């Protein structure tokens, strides 16, 4: 009985110490939540802790459990490292920014974290984990961002802003070389040559400008003239995307000139018009019916029909 009591006492003591140690370890990193679910449109949330004795040792992409790379900033906003494996020893900020998703994690105080998630336009869930470390204790905060339900086209407005309008320039056309015993007439088309065509394109600095409608084949009306700071249309349309649209230049006709005897050469110079206008594309979010505005430019390069002949010495 005595031996049994001693053994039981030791067992209970060890068990009590083990439980105490587990409780101590669990209390080292105690976030207010360890699971965050965000909508595809993005947003931010703040996590608080009972103490600040921890650091972010890594951030893992749950698709493959691979380290996420990005930029690391100090507490005063100065960049410390670029395109590095994300980690944060103390207060500061870490940023991962792709074209279709991303996040900003800010530690303003030792016992708080702000997690800001950017809009997810990948077409799939974005799952990542913050790995927190304190000595031998490790704890994960898991973040899940939902799949976007997308946007629908609601209209586009073409407007003139500062720097927009028409401007003219010339491009070199075809080169012609001759070595003939006597002068003769030569008939040619001045509108032939490399890249003598109309080319236009939608452009935008917004990284998701062409993601939401890429499968919808939306055609929008584009300007056919600008006069006295006013835009005019005649029903001409282009697909809304960032792929250059190339159409025939539409000019016909020939010119006949006299080529002198001996060696000679000439080229054509084609006058072009550059047209630049601004646009505001309106989209409606399919989940929350909120309007989204995409701003950008539509730029067109087109020959005007004017040309000149340049003889070479």
């Amino acid at each position: 009985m005595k031996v049994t009591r001693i053994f039981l006492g030791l067992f209970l003591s060890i068990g009590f110490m083990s439980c105490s140690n587990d409780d101590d370890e669990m209390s080292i990193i105690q976030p207010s939540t360890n699971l965050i679910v965000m909508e595809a449109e993005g947003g931010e949330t703040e996590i608080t802790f009972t103490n600040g004795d921890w650091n972010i040792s890594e951030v893992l992409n749950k698709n493959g459990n691979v380290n996420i790379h990005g930029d690391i900033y100090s507490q005063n906003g100065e960049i410390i490292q670029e395109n590095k494996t994300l980690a944060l020893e103390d207060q500061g900020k870490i940023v991962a920014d792709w074209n279709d998703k991303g996040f900003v994690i800010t530690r303003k105080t030792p016992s708080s974290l702000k997690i800001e998630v950017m809009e997810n336009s990948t077409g799939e869930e974005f799952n990542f984990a913050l790995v927190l470390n304190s000595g031998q204790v490790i704890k994960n905060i898991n973040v899940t961002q939902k799949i976007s339900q997308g946007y629908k086209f609601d209209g586009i407005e073409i407007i003139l802003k500062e720097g927009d309008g028409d401007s003219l320039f010339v491009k070199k056309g075809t080169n012609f070389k001759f070595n003939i015993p006597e002068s003769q007439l030569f008939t040619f088309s001045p509108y032939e040559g490399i890249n003598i065509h109309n080319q236009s394109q939608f452009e935008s600095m917004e990284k998701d400008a062409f993601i939401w409608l890429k499968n919808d084949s939306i055609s929008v009306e584009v300007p056919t003239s600008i006069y006295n700071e006013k835009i005019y249309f005649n029903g001409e349309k282009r697909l809304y995307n960032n792929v250059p649209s190339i159409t025939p230049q539409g000019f016909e006709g020939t010119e006949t000139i006299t080529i002198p005897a001996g060696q000679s050469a000439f080229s054509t110079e084609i006058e072009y018009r550059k047209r630049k206008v601004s646009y505001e594309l309106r989209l409606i979010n399919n989940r929350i019916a909120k309007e989204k505005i995409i701003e950008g430019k539509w730029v067109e390069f087109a020959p005007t029909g004017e040309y000149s002949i340049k003889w070479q010495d």
Side-chain angles (χ1 to χ4, degrees), residues 120-160:
N120 177 13
S121 58
T122 63
E124 58 186 23
E125 275 193 354
F126 178 35
N127 298 285
F128 63 95
L130 279 67
V131 181
L132 309 184
N133 179 278
S134 180
Q136 299 301 313
V137 180
I138 296 174
K139 195 170 190 70
N140 286 6
I141 296 177
N142 295 298
V143 181
T144 294
Q145 189 177 21
K146 297 179 182 180
I147 299 173
S148 175
Q149 296 182 28
Y151 291 79
K152 63 183 177 182
F153 176 73
D154 189 51
I156 190 170
E157 183 180 7
I158 305 293
I159 53 179
L160 290 175

Side-chain angles (χ1 to χ4, degrees), residues 173-190:
T174 305
N175 288 316
F176 297 92
K177 292 184 178 181
F178 303 89
N179 188 2
I180 54 179
E182 58 184 39
S183 67
Q184 64 182 48
L185 295 177
F186 176 66
T187 300
F188 68 101
S189 171

Side-chain angles (χ1 to χ4, degrees), residues 19-271:
C19 291
S20 298
N21 288 339
D22 287 345
D23 289 342
D24 288 342
E25 287 189 351
M26 289 178 63
S27 67
I28 292 174
I29 307 176
Q30 286 191 337
S32 55
T33 182
N34 59 7
L35 177 61
I36 298 169
V37 179
M38 290 281 197
E39 296 292 345
E41 296 79 34
E44 62 180 54
T45 188
E46 188 158 333
I47 301 175
T48 58
F49 296 79
T50 55
N51 64 67
D53 186 19
W54 51 269
N55 61 68
I56 302 174
S57 59
E58 57 184 342
V59 184
L60 296 177
N61 188 333
K62 300 294 285 183
N63 183 11
N65 274 342
V66 294
N67 288 109
I68 294 178
H69 289 67
D71 300 332
I72 304 173
Y73 295 80
S74 67
Q75 185 178 2
N76 60 10
E78 294 181 358
I79 192 162
I80 300 173
Q81 291 180 306
E82 294 182 88
N83 196 27
K84 295 292 183 181
T85 300
L86 290 178
L88 197 60
E89 290 290 332
D90 204 341
Q91 297 173 63
K93 179 173 68 176
I94 53 178
V95 178
D97 187 2
W98 299 273
N99 285 330
D100 49 12
K101 63 179 180 292
F103 58 77
V104 179
I105 299 170
T106 307
R107 188 177 183 183
K108 290 184 177 181
T109 68
S111 57
S112 70
L113 274 181
K114 184 175 77 171
I115 299 178
E116 179 185 359
V117 180
M118 304 169 194
E119 186 162 25
N120 177 13
S121 58
T122 63
E124 58 186 23
E125 275 193 354
F126 178 35
N127 298 285
F128 63 95
L130 279 67
V131 181
L132 309 184
N133 179 278
S134 180
Q136 299 301 313
V137 180
I138 296 174
K139 195 170 190 70
N140 286 6
I141 296 177
N142 295 298
V143 181
T144 294
Q145 189 177 21
K146 297 179 182 180
I147 299 173
S148 175
Q149 296 182 28
Y151 291 79
K152 63 183 177 182
F153 176 73
D154 189 51
I156 190 170
E157 183 180 7
I158 305 293
I159 53 179
L160 290 175
K161 293 186 177 180
E162 185 177 354
D164 291 349
D166 289 347
S167 58
L168 299 176
F169 65 96
V170 295
K171 288 177 66 174
K172 190 174 182 180
T174 305
N175 288 316
F176 297 92
K177 292 184 178 181
F178 303 89
N179 188 2
I180 54 179
E182 58 184 39
S183 67
Q184 64 182 48
L185 295 177
F186 176 66
T187 300
F188 68 101
S189 171
Y191 303 112
E192 294 179 352
I194 300 173
N195 297 328
I196 306 298
H197 52 237
N198 295 9
Q199 179 173 315
S200 63
Q201 185 172 353
F202 289 92
E203 303 173 350
S204 178
M205 297 297 292
E206 299 186 35
K207 60 186 181 181
D208 62 344
F210 305 102
I211 291 175
W212 306 113
L213 301 178
K214 64 181 179 181
N215 298 320
D216 295 342
S217 299
I218 299 294
S219 291
V220 300
E221 197 169 20
V222 295
T224 52
S225 64
I226 299 175
Y227 182 71
N228 285 340
E229 301 296 317
K230 188 174 181 179
I231 300 174
Y232 293 88
F233 303 85
N234 70 355
E236 189 172 339
K237 293 185 175 183
R238 296 286 186 273
L239 281 175
Y240 178 76
N241 57 39
N242 59 343
V243 178
S245 173
I246 297 175
T247 57
Q249 41 83 6
F251 294 109
E252 297 180 355
T254 58
E255 176 155 335
T256 300
I257 60 174
T258 300
I259 306 299
Q263 292 186 357
S264 64
F266 76 89
S267 62
T268 56
E269 284 189 350
I270 312 297
E271 183 182 72

Side-chain angles (χ1 to χ4, degrees), residues 283-298:
L283 303 174
I284 302 296
N285 186 285
N286 290 328
R287 187 182 72 86
I288 56 177
K290 183 179 179 180
E291 185 181 63
K292 182 184 184 75
I293 302 294
I294 301 289
E295 295 185 355
K297 302 286 185 182
W298 180 72

Side-chain angles (χ1 to χ4, degrees), residues 265-283:
F266 76 89
S267 62
T268 56
E269 284 189 350
I270 312 297
E271 183 182 72
Y272 267 75
R273 181 200 68 242
K274 177 183 179 182
R275 174 166 292 157
K276 181 169 68 172
V277 294
S278 299
Y279 72 84
E280 292 181 358
L281 179 76
R282 296 188 306 278
L283 303 174

